[in-house]
Amino acid sequence: GNSVFTRDFGYADKESNVEVSADTVFEWGTASQLLIWVSVLQLAETEEIDMQKEVSEYLPEGELKETLTGTGVTMEHLMNYSSGFQDSLFEKIIPEGVAYGTLAETLTNNIPKHTYGAGSVVSVSDWPAALAAYVVEYVSGVDYAQYVKCNIFSPLEMNHTAMLPDL
């Protein structure tokens, strides 16, 4: 129950010779997609998400649902990077002090072209992963970051870990 050895390694800023400490904040980047897929699979285990069901069935009425209806894109396609959505390039960095939008707003404002049929092409893209996170949020009824905190971080006692950019 007690730590035997604890030590931090590396530099938070090598140019300035600032070493990593227990208080150093690291950005998630692409590793955050692992949290999305764990969340999806948790909801699949409780049968709140069916991996074979069209994703649009899990969305509220609106532009996003209308765009996705009839595409045949399932959660399995999102998870396997085979949804067929063209990789959408948009600003992914939010400067400090600037408010960020909700998942619903961000997804709706940046809907990529559905270039290929679902399951026909594998292409890594952030938009389908963000869509899966929004499905988790909508199905669970809890903000996605809160879902991750309550269902992944807390059970693993990851008390110094956060999802949101503002910590």
Side-chain angles (χ1 to χ4, degrees):
N2 296 319
S3 296
V4 176
F5 178 78
T6 302
R7 176 142 186 246
D8 302 306
F9 296 90
Y11 292 93
D13 183 347
K14 190 170 184 173
E15 290 78 27
S16 301
N17 207 31
V18 177
E19 294 184 359
V20 169
S21 73
D23 296 322
T24 302
V25 176
F26 294 95
E27 296 294 333
W28 277 96
T30 302
S32 66
Q33 291 187 18
L34 297 171
L35 299 172
I36 295 169
W37 307 130
V38 167
S39 301
V40 166
L41 292 173
Q42 286 176 335
L43 293 172
E45 281 183 339
T46 61
E47 298 181 355
E48 294 173 77
I49 289 179
D50 178 342
M51 300 297 285
Q52 307 302 318
K53 190 182 274 189
E54 192 169 288
V55 173
S56 62
E57 294 184 36
Y58 294 108
L59 299 173
E61 295 300 322
E63 183 180 352
L64 196 56
K65 182 180 184 90
E66 291 170 18
T67 301
L68 293 168
T69 299
T71 61
V73 174
T74 65
M75 187 60 73
E76 187 172 303
H77 290 125
L78 297 179
M79 195 170 202
N80 289 314
Y81 301 102
S82 63
S83 64
F85 287 103
Q86 175 179 318
D87 196 20
S88 179
L89 300 176
F90 59 92
E91 187 60 52
K92 297 178 185 178
I93 298 172
I94 301 169
E96 189 173 333
V98 174
Y100 52 92
T102 65
L103 274 171
E105 293 166 344
T106 302
L107 288 164
T108 301
N109 292 334
N110 296 284
I111 298 173
K113 188 174 180 182
H114 193 233
T115 308
Y116 304 100
S120 65
V121 174
V122 174
S123 176
V124 176
S125 175
D126 293 332
W127 194 87
L131 175 62
Y134 179 57
V135 169
V136 168
E137 181 174 286
Y138 190 71
V139 168
S140 70
V142 179
D143 176 80
Y144 174 70
Q146 188 65 30
Y147 179 92
V148 170
K149 180 179 180 181
C150 292
N151 295 281
I152 299 175
F153 295 159
S154 291
L156 294 173
E157 297 181 14
M158 296 172 69
N159 302 322
H160 300 285
T161 308
M163 272 301 306
L164 296 175
D166 61 2
L167 303 178

